[in-house]
């Protein structure tokens, strides 16, 4: 199996069978929207259909407008079309985090060069939503409540072990999110010994929301980390 085949098989077979806290819903785009599987397969077959070793970059968990809509972390429909050459018909999404990530990818040398070296995933490969008053759903992170963190930790460990059975370079892992996400993963990595080294980087959403005027500084920080480790 190529790297692409392993990712596709992993995504299609993602199932969380645990019990979630009240008011929290699991978001599994690969089961909820069959069209996403076609998009996801096109992407990985285009950029990962080989046997190259890659380093992992881990986000938090999928959001509704990024991989929740395309099946690919930090890739909205606009970046999928403009940067990856894969057109999605019927709906459009704009995810600010995706803008930053593709700025990093461009600075690294473009999609082909970047995806040949790196595989972007999430600490928790399925996302969560919380229902608000009036029925609106918002993104929810695995660390937003101790009860949810406890409920999904076994699933997180199992999912990471599955992915690390692929041709992953375990000398280093980059974690998006220097706060709770990094703290959780560094503690988990110390216990489970997934990677020799963990490098936390500011989360793209944080940069776009609070540091947009100095975005290039963070792009440079990413590029330095990706090249130096």
């Amino acid at each position: 199996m190529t790297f692409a085949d392993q990712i596709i098989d992993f995504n299609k077979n993602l199932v969380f069978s645990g019990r979630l806290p009240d008011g929290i819903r699991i978001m599994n785009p690969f089961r909820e929207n069959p069209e996403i599987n076609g998009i996801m397969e096109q992407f990985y077959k285009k950029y990962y259909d080989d046997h190259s070793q890659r380093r992992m970059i881990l986000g938090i968990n999928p959001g509704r407008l990024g991989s929740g809509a395309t099946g690919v972390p930090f890739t909205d429909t606009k970046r999928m079309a403009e940067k990856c050459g894969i057109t999605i018909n019927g709906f459009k999404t704009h995810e600010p985090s995706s803008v930053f990530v593709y700025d990093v990818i461009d600075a690294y040398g473009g999609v082909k060069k970047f995806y040949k070296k790196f595989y972007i995933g999430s600490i928790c490969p399925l996302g969560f939503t919380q229902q608000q008053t009036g029925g609106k759903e918002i993104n929810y992170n695995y660390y937003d409540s101790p009860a949810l963190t406890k409920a999904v930790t076994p699933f997180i460990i199992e999912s990471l072990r599955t992915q690390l059975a692929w041709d992953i370079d375990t000398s280093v892992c980059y974690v998006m999110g220097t706060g709770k996400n990094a703290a959780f993963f560094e503690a988990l990595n110390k216990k489970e010994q997934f990677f020799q080294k963990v490098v936390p980087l500011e989360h793209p959403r944080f940069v776009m929301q609070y540091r947009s005027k100095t975005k290039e500084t963070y792009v440079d920080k990413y590029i330095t980390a990706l090249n130096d480790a």
Side-chain angles (χ1 to χ4, degrees):
M1 293 178 74
T2 65
F3 210 113
D5 293 331
Q6 291 172 313
I7 299 171
I8 292 165
D9 182 69
F10 173 74
N11 286 340
K12 285 187 170 181
N13 289 287
L14 278 171
V15 177
F16 175 75
S17 55
R19 185 174 179 179
L20 295 173
D22 291 344
I24 305 299
R25 185 182 75 82
I26 197 84
M27 183 176 63
N28 187 339
F30 309 109
R31 301 250 167 159
E32 294 166 8
N33 187 352
E35 292 179 5
I36 284 178
N37 287 321
I39 300 165
M40 178 266 294
E41 288 179 29
Q42 281 188 70
F43 175 86
Y44 288 115
K45 279 293 187 180
K46 185 170 184 177
Y47 295 106
Y48 289 82
D49 205 24
D50 54 49
H51 297 278
S52 297
Q53 188 180 60
R54 291 172 170 87
R55 288 180 171 177
M56 281 187 90
I57 302 172
L58 292 173
I60 301 168
N61 44 241
R64 292 173 301 121
L65 301 179
S67 57
T70 65
V72 180
F74 296 99
T75 304
D76 58 14
T77 62
K78 188 173 183 181
R79 256 48 59 180
M80 188 67 83
E82 292 181 357
K83 300 296 185 179
C84 304
I86 298 172
T87 302
I88 300 171
N89 297 316
F91 66 97
K92 293 181 179 180
T93 60
H94 174 80
E95 170 58 75
S97 293
S98 180
V99 176
F100 177 81
V101 167
Y102 277 85
D103 283 349
V104 171
I105 290 172
D106 286 345
Y108 189 80
V111 288
K112 288 184 179 179
K113 183 179 178 182
F114 182 86
Y115 287 129
K116 190 78 173 178
K117 289 288 297 287
F118 301 100
Y119 162 60
I120 301 179
S122 302
I123 288 177
C124 185
L126 292 178
F128 308 93
T129 59
Q130 183 184 49
Q131 192 166 39
Q132 302 291 288
T133 304
K136 182 183 177 182
E137 284 190 317
I138 61 169
N139 286 332
Y140 201 77
N141 297 320
Y142 74 84
Y143 56 64
D144 281 342
S145 78
L148 179 59
T149 305
K150 182 179 180 180
V152 301
T153 294
F155 175 66
I156 287 172
I157 293 171
E158 179 186 0
S159 298
L160 281 166
R161 283 181 177 155
T162 297
Q163 293 169 90
L164 291 176
W166 310 341
D167 202 357
I168 297 290
D169 178 355
T170 58
S171 65
V172 62
C173 175
Y174 307 94
V175 174
M176 292 173 166
T178 55
K180 292 180 179 179
N181 202 40
F184 171 85
F185 190 72
E186 286 175 326
L188 187 67
N189 188 64
K190 187 175 181 180
K191 180 181 178 183
E192 300 293 335
Q193 297 291 299
F194 292 131
F195 297 94
Q196 295 174 32
K197 181 181 179 181
V198 175
V199 177
L201 294 164
E202 282 76 12
H203 195 280
R205 185 176 61 243
F206 168 81
V207 176
M208 295 301 288
Q209 188 169 352
Y210 300 108
R211 300 289 188 270
S212 61
K213 290 182 179 179
T214 55
K215 181 178 66 170
E216 292 307 315
T217 300
Y218 293 95
V219 171
D220 292 344
K221 183 177 179 180
Y222 265 70
I223 296 301
T224 299
L226 296 178
N227 284 329
D228 284 356

